[in-house]
Amino acid sequence: MKVLIVESDEELGGFWARHLERQGCQVTLVGGQGDAVDVLRHGEAKVIVLNLVLAEGSALAVADFAAYRSPETKVIFVTDTSFFSDGSIFSIASNACAFLRTGTPVDDLAAMVEYHGGGFTPAATGTDGALTH
């Protein structure tokens, strides 16, 4: 699954990216709006992990562009502030599927990416009903 991470903190974004890559995701990490929009112009992401507070640009502009360009793309917003803690992000960004604290354990973030990205492809069954791989 293709995942776009938009995170200004390169160390944190890299930590998330490495963990998701170990889970089998193809991850692109960018630091701000301009690079995120450029990535979305040239390809699609199944899930975007997007910090609400970017050093460069607007997270809501990234989410809006993703909704326009690829309406099926899901956005997991992360933040270390109290912005949108009332859940209003879900009425502002039509593609918002989750809202997490920046300090959320990486395994939980990966589980959210997997869930909202459609999960793993189920194993096929053979003619005798046994699972095949």
Side-chain angles (χ1 to χ4, degrees):
M1 150 187 353
K2 292 183 180 180
V3 178
L4 172 61
I5 297 174
V6 187
E7 171 57 58
S8 300
D9 180 339
E10 193 174 319
E11 186 176 328
L12 178 60
F15 177 65
W16 291 342
R18 287 186 301 278
H19 189 79
L20 290 171
E21 287 168 347
R22 285 192 300 271
Q23 305 300 317
C25 296
Q26 292 177 285
V27 179
T28 302
L29 171 62
V30 298
Q33 176 185 338
D35 290 336
V37 168
D38 190 49
V39 167
L40 293 170
R41 276 191 186 122
H42 297 98
E44 292 184 7
K46 188 81 168 171
V47 176
I48 300 171
V49 178
L50 178 58
N51 195 320
L52 266 171
V53 181
L54 299 173
E56 182 269 312
S58 165
L60 293 176
V62 173
D64 189 48
F65 185 79
Y68 161 75
R69 182 80 174 167
S70 180
E72 66 281 352
T73 297
K74 303 294 185 187
V75 178
I76 297 173
F77 285 98
V78 295
T79 189
D80 61 358
T81 70
S82 60
F83 292 160
F84 301 112
S85 61
D86 62 354
S88 60
I89 192 70
F90 297 102
S91 63
I92 294 170
S94 63
N95 50 2
C97 65
F99 183 78
L100 304 172
R101 301 286 302 162
T102 305
T104 297
V106 70
D107 287 333
D108 293 348
L109 176 64
M112 295 297 282
V113 168
E114 178 185 351
Y115 177 78
H116 290 291
F120 297 119
T121 304
T125 57
T127 55
D128 62 355
L131 289 177
T132 58
H133 299 282

